[in-house]
Amino acid sequence: MRKLEAVAQIGLSAPWIDKRDEELVLEVLRSGRLSLGPTGPRFEELLAETVSVPHCAAVSSGTAGLHLCMRLAGVGPGDEVITSPYSFVASANCAIYEGATPVFADIDAKTFNLDPAAVEAAITERTRAVVAVDIFGYPCELQELRVICNRYGLALIEDACEALGARYKGRTVGSHGHPAVFAFYPNKQVTTGEGGAVTTGSAEQYELLVSLRNQGRLETSSWLQHGRLGYNYRLDDVSAALGIGQLEKLDRILSGRREVAARYEELLAGLPLETPLADDADHERSWFVYVVELERGVDRDGVIRWLGEQGIACAPYLPSIHLQSYMRERYGFAEGLCPVSEDVSARTMAIPFHARLAREDQERVADTLRSALA
Ligand SMILES: Cc1ncc(COP(=O)(O)O)c(C=O)c1O
């Protein structure tokens, strides 16, 4: 009987962890200062420097960061928060945490980011904030969105969870003054295990963030005195240590991801699919995932399943948030609310992608995808 040969698995993503990361984490473990020690602030300083922003507050996740931004914006019951349907659920959930209603404005079919005209059309007298997402690390239309937010007196929050290192109009995402949130789950460019950060140009917002993430303690209060309702959204020092190691090699991580993306662009040439939108003078992507868009009528889920059977992990990135079951049940959202997002959601899929993905693996992904689509 022929022995079945095990096919090597190609995962969807992989963090880049090296000896330096291990040493930094061990140092903290050995120090005994596992939380509220000196490593958290070191990580924050390095991140602030990387993003070129005066203030940076590390938090326990990107979701926590977005939630705190709702508090910064004063979002509360009865308010509406406009966001993108083509994102991870946290971009919308943060509004619900504060009793507000998420309102979905449709996306642009090319960038997959919020269409500013759709945002303006969705504004009502209840709108309090806009959560703009840099999806797949491609910067959103910050200038147009800022003009709209200023015109209507709305807070602009940037969900830059997928976009560390991206640039909009030549300046790093996160350094444009308004609060921006980063996330460090292991599929991100930089990981701390779980973790996130909020950057802002405002010292006042920074002080509030630091208090809110630390159970509402005030700068002047002792450990058991709390000046406001807060949360435990602190990032521990072990995670921060890993973050330092990651930021130290950020340039290598980002250029590795750029190279892998460029290789896919070559390998996938001629296939009946759209590869990710190229950069232009205003938008410089930080590569997060590699998402291709299949033609209408192709059984995308069947393609994903088939690749999975060949040991290649792919995922239907991203479902439209308003069509998630809890959103339909809670708000009565249905098909047709955001047609562009729904169309894109039905046709896009993420293929294996990380900074150190081997050329042979990429060739196997491309060949298998070619035969799936043939
Ligand atoms: C666009 C976007 N927003 C928010 C988040 C939430 O980040 P976290 O998983 O760290 O809570 C993520 C992470 O997957 C994301 O991709």
Side-chain angles (χ1 to χ4, degrees):
M1 209 170 74
R2 209 162 67 91
K3 225 169 88 187
L4 273 180
E5 268 184 50
V7 234
Q9 304 289 305
I10 306 178
L12 195 55
S13 69
W16 179 339
I17 307 291
D18 60 16
K19 268 257 166 304
R20 172 74 176 151
D21 296 317
E22 291 174 13
E23 282 163 12
L24 285 159
V25 167
L26 260 180
E27 208 177 283
V28 170
L29 290 176
R30 287 175 179 152
S31 77
R33 309 273 310 267
L34 304 192
S35 191
L36 292 168
T39 312
R42 265 177 61 207
F43 172 60
E44 290 176 326
E45 275 164 35
L46 191 53
L47 185 56
E49 203 180 293
T50 303
V51 173
S52 305
V53 66
H55 308 288
C56 169
V59 288
S60 53
S61 69
T63 306
L66 287 166
H67 184 193
L68 294 189
C69 288
M70 294 293 99
R71 290 285 306 269
L72 292 186
V75 167
D79 290 339
E80 292 177 352
V81 175
I82 299 173
T83 191
S84 170
Y86 192 73
S87 182
F88 184 67
V89 287
S91 318
N93 287 349
C94 58
I96 305 175
Y97 299 156
E98 287 303 312
T101 304
V103 171
F104 295 100
D106 214 343
I107 57 165
D108 178 274
K110 281 210 161 61
T111 64
F112 301 164
N113 281 325
L114 273 175
D115 171 0
V119 170
E120 188 158 21
I123 293 171
T124 71
E125 67 282 2
R126 294 181 159 210
T127 310
R128 172 69 75 136
V130 173
V131 177
V133 186
D134 304 309
I135 207 66
F136 308 149
Y138 194 86
C140 62
E141 302 313 318
L142 277 182
Q143 185 166 303
E144 283 97 320
L145 291 169
R146 196 192 333 242
V147 168
I148 293 169
C149 286
N150 287 348
R151 189 179 306 145
Y152 294 90
L154 311 176
L156 176 61
I157 309 295
E158 189 171 359
D159 179 343
C161 285
E162 303 183 351
L164 181 67
R167 286 173 181 273
Y168 176 72
K169 292 194 186 287
R171 278 180 44 204
T172 10
V173 152
S175 71
H176 291 258
H178 55 265
V181 183
F182 295 97
F184 308 127
Y185 180 75
N187 69 343
K188 298 294 189 296
Q189 292 88 336
V190 155
T191 188
T192 56
E194 296 287 353
V198 184
T199 58
T200 172
S202 152
E204 208 180 304
Q205 287 183 335
Y206 171 73
E207 268 172 41
L208 189 50
L209 286 166
V210 167
S211 167
L212 288 170
R213 75 172 173 192
N214 191 19
Q215 302 282 21
R217 291 183 176 95
L218 308 178
E219 214 181 332
T220 49
S221 40
S222 62
W223 187 245
L224 292 177
Q225 283 185 317
H226 305 265
R228 57 170 63 86
L229 173 68
Y231 315 87
N232 181 355
Y233 285 169
R234 297 185 301 261
L235 185 74
D236 64 275
D237 282 42
V238 181
S239 305
L242 176 55
I244 291 171
Q246 297 277 295
L247 288 178
E248 284 177 354
K249 56 180 158 290
L250 180 65
D251 288 347
R252 278 186 291 148
I253 293 176
L254 294 184
S255 67
R257 292 172 93 95
R258 255 195 312 273
E259 272 170 37
V260 170
R263 243 172 9 223
Y264 263 143
E265 184 72 35
E266 271 171 38
L267 291 167
L268 300 176
L271 265 69
L273 51 77
E274 290 283 337
T275 52
L277 185 64
D279 290 354
D280 62 24
D282 288 344
H283 306 80
E284 190 183 311
R285 186 194 297 270
S286 166
W287 286 92
F288 165 53
V289 282
Y290 198 91
V291 168
V292 296
E293 186 178 22
L294 306 187
E295 291 178 340
R296 289 192 185 83
V298 175
D299 173 14
R300 190 264 323 258
D301 295 342
V303 170
I304 292 175
R305 223 172 13 253
W306 197 75
L307 277 135
E309 284 161 13
Q310 317 306 311
I312 297 170
C314 296
Y317 264 46
L318 280 162
S320 290
I321 301 175
H322 62 287
L323 298 182
Q324 297 282 351
S325 58
Y326 74 102
M327 284 280 176
R328 290 174 184 267
E329 284 158 23
R330 205 174 164 127
Y331 302 103
F333 296 143
E335 281 79 5
L337 183 69
C338 297
V340 180
S341 176
E342 291 161 29
D343 176 50
V344 171
S345 283
R347 297 190 290 119
T348 44
M349 57 182 271
I351 62 177
F353 184 74
H354 56 88
R356 297 191 290 179
L357 187 58
R359 173 181 267 281
E360 308 83 79
D361 286 349
Q362 287 193 270
E363 284 168 357
R364 206 175 110 207
V365 173
D367 291 345
T368 315
L369 193 51
R370 183 173 290 108
S371 37
L373 295 174

PDB file of all heavy atoms in Angstrom, residues 225-236:
ATOM      1  N   GLN A 225      -7.669  54.527  45.446  1.00  0.00           N
ATOM      2  CA  GLN A 225      -8.532  55.694  45.228  1.00  0.00           C
ATOM      3  C   GLN A 225      -8.769  55.873  43.738  1.00  0.00           C
ATOM      4  O   GLN A 225      -7.814  55.872  42.943  1.00  0.00           O
ATOM      5  CB  GLN A 225      -7.876  56.950  45.796  1.00  0.00           C
ATOM      6  CG  GLN A 225      -8.006  57.006  47.302  1.00  0.00           C
ATOM      7  CD  GLN A 225      -7.472  58.305  47.831  1.00  0.00           C
ATOM      8  OE1 GLN A 225      -6.411  58.771  47.399  1.00  0.00           O
ATOM      9  NE2 GLN A 225      -8.185  58.885  48.773  1.00  0.00           N
ATOM     10  N   HIS A 226     -10.050  55.989  43.373  1.00  0.00           N
ATOM     11  CA  HIS A 226     -10.420  56.009  41.956  1.00  0.00           C
ATOM     12  C   HIS A 226     -11.284  57.234  41.682  1.00  0.00           C
ATOM     13  O   HIS A 226     -12.334  57.408  42.290  1.00  0.00           O
ATOM     14  CB  HIS A 226     -11.179  54.718  41.604  1.00  0.00           C
ATOM     15  CG  HIS A 226     -10.411  53.482  41.973  1.00  0.00           C
ATOM     16  ND1 HIS A 226      -9.614  52.795  41.086  1.00  0.00           N
ATOM     17  CD2 HIS A 226     -10.267  52.838  43.165  1.00  0.00           C
ATOM     18  CE1 HIS A 226      -9.045  51.773  41.692  1.00  0.00           C
ATOM     19  NE2 HIS A 226      -9.419  51.783  42.963  1.00  0.00           N
ATOM     20  N   GLY A 227     -10.822  58.056  40.769  1.00  0.00           N
ATOM     21  CA  GLY A 227     -11.524  59.322  40.503  1.00  0.00           C
ATOM     22  C   GLY A 227     -12.621  59.220  39.466  1.00  0.00           C
ATOM     23  O   GLY A 227     -13.427  60.123  39.317  1.00  0.00           O
ATOM     24  N   ARG A 228     -12.633  58.137  38.705  1.00  0.00           N
ATOM     25  CA  ARG A 228     -13.651  57.979  37.651  1.00  0.00           C
ATOM     26  C   ARG A 228     -13.832  56.489  37.368  1.00  0.00           C
ATOM     27  O   ARG A 228     -13.028  55.670  37.797  1.00  0.00           O
ATOM     28  CB  ARG A 228     -13.233  58.717  36.383  1.00  0.00           C
ATOM     29  CG  ARG A 228     -11.884  58.288  35.822  1.00  0.00           C
ATOM     30  CD  ARG A 228     -11.628  58.859  34.450  1.00  0.00           C
ATOM     31  NE  ARG A 228     -11.553  60.306  34.419  1.00  0.00           N
ATOM     32  CZ  ARG A 228     -10.465  61.022  34.652  1.00  0.00           C
ATOM     33  NH1 ARG A 228      -9.330  60.413  34.926  1.00  0.00           N
ATOM     34  NH2 ARG A 228     -10.500  62.333  34.597  1.00  0.00           N
ATOM     35  N   LEU A 229     -14.890  56.164  36.628  1.00  0.00           N
ATOM     36  CA  LEU A 229     -15.095  54.778  36.221  1.00  0.00           C
ATOM     37  C   LEU A 229     -14.023  54.418  35.188  1.00  0.00           C
ATOM     38  O   LEU A 229     -13.919  55.050  34.134  1.00  0.00           O
ATOM     39  CB  LEU A 229     -16.483  54.608  35.595  1.00  0.00           C
ATOM     40  CG  LEU A 229     -16.761  53.237  34.979  1.00  0.00           C
ATOM     41  CD1 LEU A 229     -16.840  52.154  36.055  1.00  0.00           C
ATOM     42  CD2 LEU A 229     -18.046  53.257  34.160  1.00  0.00           C
ATOM     43  N   GLY A 230     -13.238  53.407  35.509  1.00  0.00           N
ATOM     44  CA  GLY A 230     -12.193  52.994  34.576  1.00  0.00           C
ATOM     45  C   GLY A 230     -12.233  51.499  34.346  1.00  0.00           C
ATOM     46  O   GLY A 230     -13.209  50.818  34.694  1.00  0.00           O
ATOM     47  N   TYR A 231     -11.176  50.988  33.748  1.00  0.00           N
ATOM     48  CA  TYR A 231     -11.110  49.564  33.373  1.00  0.00           C
ATOM     49  C   TYR A 231      -9.714  49.053  33.699  1.00  0.00           C
ATOM     50  O   TYR A 231      -8.788  49.845  33.873  1.00  0.00           O
ATOM     51  CB  TYR A 231     -11.351  49.411  31.869  1.00  0.00           C
ATOM     52  CG  TYR A 231     -12.507  50.242  31.365  1.00  0.00           C
ATOM     53  CD1 TYR A 231     -12.309  51.565  30.972  1.00  0.00           C
ATOM     54  CD2 TYR A 231     -13.791  49.715  31.346  1.00  0.00           C
ATOM     55  CE1 TYR A 231     -13.379  52.342  30.550  1.00  0.00           C
ATOM     56  CE2 TYR A 231     -14.864  50.488  30.917  1.00  0.00           C
ATOM     57  CZ  TYR A 231     -14.649  51.802  30.523  1.00  0.00           C
ATOM     58  OH  TYR A 231     -15.703  52.573  30.114  1.00  0.00           O
ATOM     59  N   ASN A 232      -9.557  47.741  33.708  1.00  0.00           N
ATOM     60  CA  ASN A 232      -8.195  47.229  33.701  1.00  0.00           C
ATOM     61  C   ASN A 232      -7.839  46.905  32.257  1.00  0.00           C
ATOM     62  O   ASN A 232      -8.061  45.799  31.781  1.00  0.00           O
ATOM     63  CB  ASN A 232      -8.024  45.998  34.581  1.00  0.00           C
ATOM     64  CG  ASN A 232      -6.567  45.516  34.549  1.00  0.00           C
ATOM     65  OD1 ASN A 232      -5.751  46.063  33.800  1.00  0.00           O
ATOM     66  ND2 ASN A 232      -6.249  44.532  35.340  1.00  0.00           N
ATOM     67  N   TYR A 233      -7.331  47.892  31.567  1.00  0.00           N
ATOM     68  CA  TYR A 233      -6.896  47.742  30.177  1.00  0.00           C
ATOM     69  C   TYR A 233      -5.380  47.959  30.084  1.00  0.00           C
ATOM     70  O   TYR A 233      -4.869  48.422  29.075  1.00  0.00           O
ATOM     71  CB  TYR A 233      -7.619  48.753  29.285  1.00  0.00           C
ATOM     72  CG  TYR A 233      -9.072  48.435  28.966  1.00  0.00           C
ATOM     73  CD1 TYR A 233      -9.884  49.405  28.364  1.00  0.00           C
ATOM     74  CD2 TYR A 233      -9.637  47.187  29.225  1.00  0.00           C
ATOM     75  CE1 TYR A 233     -11.205  49.130  28.033  1.00  0.00           C
ATOM     76  CE2 TYR A 233     -10.960  46.915  28.907  1.00  0.00           C
ATOM     77  CZ  TYR A 233     -11.736  47.888  28.312  1.00  0.00           C
ATOM     78  OH  TYR A 233     -13.049  47.626  27.976  1.00  0.00           O
ATOM     79  N   ARG A 234      -4.668  47.660  31.198  1.00  0.00           N
ATOM     80  CA  ARG A 234      -3.218  47.857  31.164  1.00  0.00           C
ATOM     81  C   ARG A 234      -2.544  46.782  30.323  1.00  0.00           C
ATOM     82  O   ARG A 234      -3.026  45.651  30.247  1.00  0.00           O
ATOM     83  CB  ARG A 234      -2.640  47.805  32.590  1.00  0.00           C
ATOM     84  CG  ARG A 234      -3.134  48.877  33.518  1.00  0.00           C
ATOM     85  CD  ARG A 234      -2.407  48.805  34.859  1.00  0.00           C
ATOM     86  NE  ARG A 234      -2.586  47.515  35.519  1.00  0.00           N
ATOM     87  CZ  ARG A 234      -3.459  47.280  36.492  1.00  0.00           C
ATOM     88  NH1 ARG A 234      -4.246  48.243  36.932  1.00  0.00           N
ATOM     89  NH2 ARG A 234      -3.540  46.082  37.027  1.00  0.00           N
ATOM     90  N   LEU A 235      -1.401  47.119  29.739  1.00  0.00           N
ATOM     91  CA  LEU A 235      -0.549  46.129  29.082  1.00  0.00           C
ATOM     92  C   LEU A 235       0.501  45.729  30.115  1.00  0.00           C
ATOM     93  O   LEU A 235       1.114  46.586  30.738  1.00  0.00           O
ATOM     94  CB  LEU A 235       0.136  46.738  27.852  1.00  0.00           C
ATOM     95  CG  LEU A 235       0.960  45.755  27.020  1.00  0.00           C
ATOM     96  CD1 LEU A 235       0.046  44.835  26.205  1.00  0.00           C
ATOM     97  CD2 LEU A 235       1.910  46.492  26.074  1.00  0.00           C
ATOM     98  N   ASP A 236       0.688  44.422  30.326  1.00  0.00           N
ATOM     99  CA  ASP A 236       1.673  43.992  31.324  1.00  0.00           C
ATOM    100  C   ASP A 236       3.098  44.137  30.778  1.00  0.00           C
ATOM    101  O   ASP A 236       3.306  44.269  29.578  1.00  0.00           O
ATOM    102  CB  ASP A 236       1.398  42.547  31.742  1.00  0.00           C
ATOM    103  CG  ASP A 236       1.585  41.609  30.580  1.00  0.00           C
ATOM    104  OD1 ASP A 236       0.624  41.425  29.792  1.00  0.00           O
ATOM    105  OD2 ASP A 236       2.697  41.101  30.418  1.00  0.00           O
TER     106      ASP A 236
END
